[in-house]
Amino acid sequence: AKAVYSRHIKAIYQEHNPAKLLEVDKLIDKYADQLGVLYQSICQKYSVEPQPELLSGAVQSTSSTSPGLVLSAIPEPQGQGADDGPDSGNASSTANAESSS
């Protein structure tokens, strides 16, 4: 499980903060019982879309230590597929379509 999280966290740091790459192994060891929480917080910090399977705790071999911990760190979906998603320009594109007809 650690290797999976390590790989994903390193990929995030590689793209967003290469100076942190040297700290990944220390972080993985420090948060070994909370890898899902660690991964989630790093994703949030760098505005990266987290991999759902890493948030569920399914990858963790120690999920029985604190079963609610990982789940409580998962935020509600921020309008994915809803009207207020990242491309919430839907209203303006509708207005453009109406004005051009």
Side-chain angles (χ1 to χ4, degrees), residues 54-71:
L54 296 181
L55 298 178
S56 68
V59 178
Q60 287 188 341
S61 57
T62 57
S63 60
S64 60
T65 20
S66 15
L69 189 56
V70 175
L71 296 177

Side-chain angles (χ1 to χ4, degrees), residues 6-55:
S6 178
R7 186 170 61 245
H8 284 279
I9 291 170
K10 284 179 180 177
I12 293 169
Y13 281 149
Q14 182 70 48
E15 185 175 339
H16 297 280
N17 192 351
K20 288 275 202 178
L21 282 169
L22 299 174
E23 297 178 28
V24 172
D25 292 334
K26 290 179 193 172
L27 287 171
I28 295 291
D29 288 339
K30 183 175 180 179
Y31 296 99
D33 293 339
Q34 303 175 8
L35 292 174
V37 175
L38 173 66
Y39 174 69
Q40 171 70 22
S41 63
I42 291 170
C43 287
Q44 284 179 339
K45 181 173 183 173
Y46 296 105
S47 301
V48 172
E49 185 68 32
Q51 298 293 317
E53 65 272 13
L54 296 181
L55 298 178

